[in-house]
Amino acid sequence: MIGNGFLIAFYALLLRFLSPAIRGWKRWLAAGSILLFIVVAGAAIYAPMLVEPPTDWLEFAGSLLYETQYLLLLVSATLLTLAVYEGILGISWSILAVGMWWIALTDQLFIYLVLNDLYYPGGKVTPLSALQDLLYIAAYLIILNGLYLRWALPFPAVRAEEVLMVASKFRPQETWVLISDESGRASFVDPRLPRVLGAADIGELTGEFIGAILGLQPNTEFEILREALTHGSSRPRPVLIAGGLYALQAVAEEETPFREVCWLLTPGDARLEIRPGGKVSLEALLAQAMRGAARSPGELREAYVQAVFQLLALMCVRFGGEAVGQQFVRRFGSIVWSEEFRSDLLEDAKACRGLLERALEYALMVVPADKMRSALKRLEEGLGEEVLRAADAVGLRLSFPDG
């Protein structure tokens, strides 16, 4: 019962983290399954226990607690299996789900053996009782293996997930960007992403990071990359990361000499308008991702600022190299992504525009003005009139020094 108690407590702590993956028809299936478990357990276990008055109240209370634990483990295993469905959570979570089911079914076998006096009858070891104990040990070993894989991932996303699921401080509208070449070598990493996940970097290859956030799913990042290079874009993959449901998508730029692949982690409600086989500029893609589901004037202004800043950072990387891009982010990123800056968007838009103008001047030291002008134009076209009107209303919209 102590072991089961730890498992139930572990799952209860993760419930908020897993809940975004259980929605739609899975939520109805989960509710129906839980109701079925309660009915079956009530008829098969609880009712016979309550028919006859107990002779030992302590033993009776222990039996009730044990059966309740079994029921909770069965519910946990069901919800975890539904969350793992469609590959949202990866191999380590799948192993945990198998272990939870194994424990639940082993509990049921134990109850059957005890009720029929087959578990160590007369205090003697039998093959059946030994098998029962071995099944218990195997179940806990499977669960420990799943926990180890989660802790031993090559990228410490797991630890960040388990902290942020309790006290999440980042905004759910955040979109994270990665840029790589066609071989998967990372050239730009949104600096907010490693910070959210509590990591120093993502590794030299984007694929190493993608494989880690997908939970050690083998070769998935190469499948996504091939799909993007072949068709221009990949289909969105659902990802549960940092306590929220996101979509992972890769888009290859066909019409530029850079031959880059843009990886986007977007909130589940940010639908990117990318048709299979269609060509889309990085600027338009970035605009859609940054806008997300912004509706209020403050959110629309923030979408404009974040999109422009990300574009400037990406252009610095393209024309000045990774070191220039990192220097740009170090100089301006901590300000643009701070809570104080977000509040200034509502109170002092003039100061915010001044910061963007300084960032633009810095970027123009390495980026040709005509390239920057055309990129900004494509970005604004992708952001849409609603965002531009919100930026214009407070004088936030950026212009080049020459007008």
Side-chain angles (χ1 to χ4, degrees), residues 73 104 163 188:
L73 284 173
V163 172
F188 174 79

Side-chain angles (χ1 to χ4, degrees), residues 21 27 35 68 141 170 189 202 215 260 319 350 362:
R27 184 169 297 176
L35 182 61
T68 302
L141 288 176
F170 66 92
V189 181
I202 69 163
E260 291 176 331
F319 291 92
K350 184 178 179 180
Y362 186 94

Side-chain angles (χ1 to χ4, degrees), residues 254-277:
E254 296 286 351
E255 299 178 349
T256 66
F258 301 100
R259 187 58 175 175
E260 291 176 331
V261 177
C262 180
W263 298 80
L264 291 175
L265 274 167
T266 58
D269 55 0
R271 302 297 179 186
L272 300 184
E273 299 172 3
I274 304 174
R275 298 178 180 178

